[in-house]
């Protein structure tokens, strides 16, 4: 439950004539994580080389590229296609040979035509944009080019100027940036150019068009309209092709991907002229079934052995072993890092604690219900995305926790429910004439401090457990274990000393304990615990002692659970007061024509305010809850860095082998 799935390391060896049935069987089972062979001249692999692809790999790869190119042209992917009927390999292979060239021609010609039209459209839009600068010029644009004895300057300028040379000039301020056109004799061009630059002149290209700019703009407007219409027709035809061939293309891609992966598998094996060796990892509970099927597929002509795992050298691929209800949390773990093979897997803990933290922050029945509905509605956009569905499952669980805490807090959109809060109150009496005592902020902060104390203690205890499991017996392991115990002792020693200074609600009151030599006995015990803990930490690493202040800061960091939650409640209360207390209620009390407007505005403020607060609650509740795990909890014990388990094979959706 708190460990990853147990793996076994298999070595498979057989003669080359058994290569195809072995690969086919491994691919069908989809459980064998191949350990790629790297030719490093190891003695045990003397004479072995990296294998070559199986016959037909190149041809199949070519077909796969063609299929993927077609699918990309029309925007088809397995994620947006629903399987109607699973297709067999034989019939599909025949259709690929007979129909693929025809489909390529149909789709290719349509896409090529649309691309050509889009290119022409972009060209027309650019030409039209170039003409806009000259839209107010009343002359034929052909008159601004083609002179041997004159240079024509055209561009934008801050204001009208008089050039210090003989010239013909046109200026208009009816276009953005102002437009100046000057025709200057060639012998005066350099002087005119320097003067223009000094005056803030920015040259623009003169369009290579005949007629006025205005007439050309109208011409391109008509052409753009025509091209857009043609592109629309092409897009409709391409959409029709997409609907017609989508299922066929994704089925072909799945089939050919499987064929290519099988054909290229020998590139990951060690081979000689006569034999091959494959190493890989398999979940221990399916080893017997895989071996039995491999023996049957090869008629017993294969050698399979389970090798001993060397934890110092082998990189064991990691597959979670979580119960079904905790599997969605694996997405949060993957964002951080997978655990190492021998360390404690905190997935189950995160699955339990994360929704509790989220609910503690966003404890509102309405907000939780909104997010719960959203978690189901968004599924149509992620469809076959495993990670996407896992994250939505996490949101679902967190939303349920938010509803439960909403019941405990007696909160609904910032309003108090008909029953009193079952736990601490978070209600704000904003705008009330006789305001109550307000939220139990102090109690909420103390509760979150207790959460931090227990969470961090658990993290340190897990680190001690990891050291016992991962490290070899000896002095180093003892130092690491005692260092983690030292961190725990120091934290609880500080707490003992604090409890002797002044009584704190919901915490032990040790102020009246027995005194020894004038000092509270628990004060002395706390000081002794701190001293012993510091010695334990220092024995492992003296530099770690610099981190002692983080004991307090990390515990206090958990008070964000109360602070962020109270801010969400305060925003909800303010929205309610503005929308209802300041707009809707006064409008109803003194009803008139203006009241209708006030009521509508009040409803708008109410909806927008709570929509934004729901988004803030989702963001704040999610980020702060996961941050407490990643930063405060995981840093106490979690190393991570595990390699993802990636079995050889695919889960088929559109085809069957």
């Amino acid at each position: 439950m708190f460990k990853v799935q147990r793996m076994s390391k298999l070595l498979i060896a057989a003669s080359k004539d058994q290569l195809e049935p072995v690969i086919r069987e491994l691919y069908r089972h989809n459980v064998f994580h191949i350990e790629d062979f790297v030719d490093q001249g190891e003695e045990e692999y003397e004479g072995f080389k990296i294998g070559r692809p199986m016959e037909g790999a190149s041809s199949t790869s070519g077909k796969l590229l063609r299929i993927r190119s077609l699918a990309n042209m029309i925007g088809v992917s397995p994620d947006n296609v629903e399987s109607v009927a699973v297709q067999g390999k034989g019939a599909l292979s025949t259709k690929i040979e007979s129909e693929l060239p025809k489909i390529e021609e149909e789709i290719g010609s349509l896409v090529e035509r649309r691309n050509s039209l889009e290119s022409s459209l972009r060209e027309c839009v650019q030409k039209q944009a170039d003409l806009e600068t000259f839209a107010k010029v009343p002359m034929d644009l052909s008159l601004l080019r083609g002179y041997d004895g004159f240079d024509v300057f055209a561009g934008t300028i801050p204001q009208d100027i008089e050039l210090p040379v003989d010239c013909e000039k046109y200026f208009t301020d009816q276009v953005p940036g102002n437009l100046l056109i000057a025709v200057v004799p060639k012998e005066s061009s350099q002087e005119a150019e320097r003067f223009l630059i000094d005056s803030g002149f920015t040259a623009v290209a003169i369009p290579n068009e005949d007629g006025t700019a205005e007439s050309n703009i109208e011409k391109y407007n008509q052409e753009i309209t025509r091209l857009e219409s043609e592109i629309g027709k092409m897009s409709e035809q391409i959409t029709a092709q997409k609907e017609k061939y989508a299922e066929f293309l994704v089925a072909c891609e799945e089939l050919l991907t499987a064929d290519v992966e099988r054909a290229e598998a020998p590139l990951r094996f060690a081979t000689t002229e006569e034999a091959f060796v494959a190493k890989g990892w398999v979940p221990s509970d399916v080893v017997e079934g895989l071996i039995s099927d491999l023996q049957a597929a090869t008629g017993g002509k294969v050698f399979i052995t389970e090798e001993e795992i060397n934890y110092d050298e082998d990189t064991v691929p990691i597959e979670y072993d979580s119960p079904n209800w905790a599997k969605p949390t694996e997405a949060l773990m993957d964002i951080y890092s997978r655990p190492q093979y021998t360390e404690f897997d905190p997935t189950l803990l995160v699955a339990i604690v994360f929704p509790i933290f989220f609910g503690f922050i966003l404890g509102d029945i309405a907000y939780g219900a909104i997010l719960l509905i959203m978690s189901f509605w968004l599924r149509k956009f992620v469809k076959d995305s495993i990670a996407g569905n896992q994250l939505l499952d996490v949101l679902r669980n967190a939303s349920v926790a938010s509803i439960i805490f909403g019941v405990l807090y007696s909160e609904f959109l910032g309003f108090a429910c008909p029953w009193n809060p079952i736990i601490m109150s978070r209600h704000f009496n904003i705008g009330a004439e006789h305001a109550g005592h307000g939220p139990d902020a102090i109690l909420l902060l103390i509760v979150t401090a207790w959460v931090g104390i227990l969470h961090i203690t658990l993290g340190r205890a897990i680190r001690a457990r990891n050291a016992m499991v991962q490290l070899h017996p000896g002095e180093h392991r003892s130092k690491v274990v005692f260092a983690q115990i030292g961190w725990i002792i120091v934290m609880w020693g500080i707490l003992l000393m604090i409890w002797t200074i002044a009584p704190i609600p919901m915490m032990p009151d040790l102020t009246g304990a027995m005194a020894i030599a004038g000092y509270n006995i628990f004060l002395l015990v706390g000081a002794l615990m701190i001293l012993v803990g510091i010695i334990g930490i220092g024995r492992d690493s003296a530099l770690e002692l610099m981190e002692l202040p983080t004991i307090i800061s990390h515990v206090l960091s958990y008070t964000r659970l109360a602070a962020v939650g109270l801010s969400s409640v305060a925003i909800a209360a303010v929205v309610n007061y503005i929308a209802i207390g300041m707009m809707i209620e006064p409008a109803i009390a003194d009803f008139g024509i203006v009241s209708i407007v006030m009521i509508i505005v009040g409803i708008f403020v109410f909806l927008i305010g709570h929509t934004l607060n729901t988004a803030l609650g989702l963001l704040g509740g999610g980020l702060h809850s996961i941050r407490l795990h990643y930063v405060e909890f995981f840093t106490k014990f979690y190393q991570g860095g595990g390699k993802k388990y990636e079995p050889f094979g695919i889960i088929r959706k559109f085809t069957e082998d």
Side-chain angles (χ1 to χ4, degrees):
M1 186 174 293
F2 293 110
K3 295 181 179 179
V4 297
Q5 196 165 125
R6 188 169 176 268
M7 289 286 174
S8 297
K9 185 179 182 181
L10 296 185
L11 182 146
I12 303 172
S15 58
K16 275 286 190 66
D17 61 334
Q18 301 301 321
L19 181 60
E20 185 175 349
V22 166
I23 290 175
R24 186 175 63 247
E25 201 65 24
L26 290 176
Y27 199 84
R28 183 178 70 85
H29 276 266
N30 191 29
V31 295
F32 188 70
H33 177 102
I34 300 175
E35 189 174 275
D36 293 342
F37 170 70
V38 180
D39 190 358
Q40 296 179 330
E42 299 176 11
E43 184 177 347
E44 59 181 311
Y45 283 98
E46 185 178 354
F48 283 86
K49 296 181 180 179
I50 296 174
R52 296 180 179 178
M54 296 170 64
E55 185 178 351
S58 178
S59 172
T60 307
S61 295
K63 293 176 185 176
L64 179 59
L65 287 174
R66 290 161 63 190
I67 290 291
R68 287 177 174 171
S69 176
L70 285 173
N72 185 59
M73 284 181 186
I74 58 177
V76 171
S77 73
D79 293 339
N80 56 33
V81 176
E82 295 293 334
S83 177
V84 177
V86 176
Q87 303 188 46
K89 177 179 179 179
L92 192 57
S93 298
T94 302
K95 288 179 70 176
I96 291 174
E97 294 296 332
S98 61
E99 297 187 19
L100 183 57
K102 181 186 71 173
I103 296 173
E104 281 182 312
E105 184 178 352
E106 289 181 15
I107 295 177
S109 61
L110 289 174
V111 172
E112 184 179 356
R113 173 60 178 159
R114 185 177 65 178
N115 290 344
S116 176
L117 290 171
E118 288 176 344
S119 177
S120 298
L121 177 62
R122 287 192 295 270
E123 186 178 341
C124 286
V125 170
Q126 183 59 54
K127 288 182 176 180
Q128 187 185 58
D130 294 340
L131 285 163
E132 290 292 344
T133 306
F134 297 84
K136 299 300 180 180
V137 177
M139 65 186 73
D140 192 318
L141 294 174
S142 64
L143 299 176
L144 301 180
R145 62 178 184 272
Y147 298 109
D148 294 330
F150 299 91
D151 285 329
V152 180
F153 296 95
T156 58
I157 195 166
Q159 59 188 9
D160 193 9
I161 59 171
E162 293 297 330
L163 274 70
V165 297
D166 291 336
C167 65
E168 291 290 337
K169 187 192 72 166
Y170 172 82
F171 174 83
T172 179
D173 58 2
Q174 300 301 306
V175 296
N178 304 329
L179 176 67
L180 183 143
I181 301 174
V183 182
V184 181
K186 280 194 176 293
E187 58 269 17
S188 303
S189 288
Q190 291 185 356
E191 182 182 354
E193 186 175 11
R194 284 194 298 269
F195 183 81
L196 286 170
I197 292 173
D198 292 341
S199 302
F201 178 83
T202 302
V204 296
I206 298 172
N208 187 23
E209 303 285 350
D210 295 334
T212 63
E214 190 173 10
S215 64
N216 279 283
I217 289 173
E218 178 59 29
K219 178 185 72 175
Y220 284 120
N221 267 333
Q222 295 175 4
E223 182 65 10
I224 288 171
T225 301
R226 185 189 70 80
L227 290 171
E228 288 176 342
S229 175
E230 288 292 321
I231 291 171
K233 293 177 182 178
M234 288 294 106
S235 296
E236 289 176 2
Q237 293 182 45
I238 291 173
T239 300
Q241 295 293 315
K242 177 180 178 179
E243 294 174 355
K244 182 179 179 181
Y245 294 118
E247 190 176 351
F248 172 73
L249 291 175
V250 294
C252 291
E253 182 177 0
E254 183 177 276
L255 174 68
L256 294 174
T257 297
D259 289 345
V260 168
E261 289 180 353
R262 284 196 296 254
E264 293 180 348
L267 292 170
R268 309 173 70 182
F269 297 167
T271 64
T272 65
E273 292 296 327
E274 303 295 336
F276 73 93
V277 174
K279 279 188 177 182
W281 301 88
V282 177
S284 298
D285 56 354
V286 300
V287 168
E288 290 186 7
L290 178 63
I291 292 176
S292 175
D293 286 350
L294 284 171
Q295 293 286 1
T298 60
K301 299 177 182 179
V302 62
F303 172 78
I304 307 172
T305 183
E306 187 173 341
E307 295 189 327
E308 185 177 351
I309 300 175
N310 185 335
Y311 294 106
D312 293 328
E313 297 181 4
D314 291 330
T315 302
V316 185
I318 304 302
E319 178 68 346
Y320 296 107
D321 191 21
S322 310
N324 288 335
W325 61 269
K327 284 190 177 298
T329 315
E330 294 171 3
L332 297 180
M333 294 300 303
D334 282 342
I335 292 172
Y336 190 87
S337 179
R338 292 203 172 198
Q340 294 183 14
Y341 187 63
T342 55
E343 76 173 319
F344 183 92
D345 178 11
T347 306
L348 185 58
L349 285 178
V350 179
I352 296 171
V353 178
F354 176 82
I356 294 175
F357 283 1
F358 188 95
F360 195 94
I361 292 174
L362 191 68
D364 188 288
I365 298 172
Y367 291 158
I370 292 170
L371 294 178
L372 182 61
I373 294 170
M374 185 186 300
S375 70
F376 289 103
W377 177 71
L378 289 175
R379 291 180 189 277
K380 64 181 181 180
F381 298 104
V382 295
K383 291 186 179 179
D384 295 330
S385 171
I386 296 176
N389 278 288
Q390 284 183 328
L391 289 174
L392 288 178
D393 286 339
V394 171
L395 176 60
R396 177 200 62 199
N397 298 342
S399 302
V400 172
S402 183
I403 294 172
I404 293 172
F405 272 91
V407 173
L408 298 177
Y409 289 139
S410 182
E411 289 180 18
F412 188 95
L413 291 179
F415 296 106
C417 295
W419 60 89
N420 291 325
I422 300 173
I423 55 176
M424 290 79 66
S425 171
R426 303 196 306 175
H427 296 303
F428 286 85
N429 299 297
I430 298 176
E433 292 184 13
H434 304 288
H437 70 282
D440 298 323
I442 299 299
L443 295 181
L444 286 166
L445 291 172
I446 293 173
V447 167
T448 54
W450 268 117
V451 171
I453 292 167
L454 298 176
H455 211 217
I456 290 172
T457 299
L458 177 61
R460 293 293 182 186
I462 294 173
R463 177 69 182 98
R465 174 266 175 200
N466 283 345
M468 292 295 294
V469 172
Q470 294 179 308
L471 301 178
H472 296 293
E475 183 180 4
H476 177 56
R477 186 172 76 172
S478 299
K479 287 182 178 180
V480 173
V481 171
F482 283 119
Q484 299 310 308
I485 296 174
W487 281 105
I488 296 174
I489 291 174
V490 169
M491 182 173 67
W492 285 91
I494 293 173
L495 289 172
L496 280 179
M497 296 181 71
I498 292 173
W499 293 337
T500 63
I501 296 172
I504 302 174
M506 302 180 69
M507 288 191 173
D509 182 3
L510 304 179
T511 56
M514 180 181 64
I516 297 178
Y519 294 98
N520 188 306
I521 185 172
F522 287 106
L523 183 70
L524 297 175
V525 171
L528 180 61
M529 290 174 65
I530 293 172
L531 178 61
V532 172
I534 288 174
I535 293 173
I537 297 169
R539 286 185 69 239
D540 180 42
S541 172
L543 289 176
E544 286 288 304
L545 296 175
M546 298 177 63
E547 298 293 324
L548 285 174
T550 63
I551 292 176
I552 303 297
S553 64
H554 283 184
V555 170
L556 292 178
S557 183
Y558 283 79
T559 59
R560 73 183 63 236
L561 293 171
V564 177
L566 286 172
S567 69
S568 177
V569 179
I571 292 172
V574 169
V575 169
N576 293 338
Y577 178 63
I578 293 174
I580 299 175
M582 296 177 64
M583 294 183 178
I584 296 176
E585 287 182 347
I588 293 175
D590 186 16
F591 193 80
I593 297 177
V594 179
S595 299
I596 298 174
V597 177
M598 290 296 293
I599 292 171
I600 293 173
V601 173
I603 293 172
F604 178 78
V605 170
F606 183 85
L607 294 175
I608 293 297
H610 283 296
T611 299
L612 294 176
N613 200 27
T614 302
L616 288 173
L618 172 62
L619 187 64
L623 287 180
H624 287 290
S625 298
I626 200 62
R627 181 199 180 279
L628 290 173
H629 283 87
Y630 287 170
V631 179
E632 269 70 37
F633 187 50
F634 282 3
T635 53
K636 305 299 179 291
F637 70 94
Y638 194 60
Q639 291 180 308
K643 183 179 181 181
K644 184 179 179 181
Y645 168 67
E646 295 178 332
F648 177 60
I650 59 172
I651 299 175
R652 293 180 180 270
K653 177 182 176 182
F654 304 101
T655 62
E656 58 184 3
D657 195 350

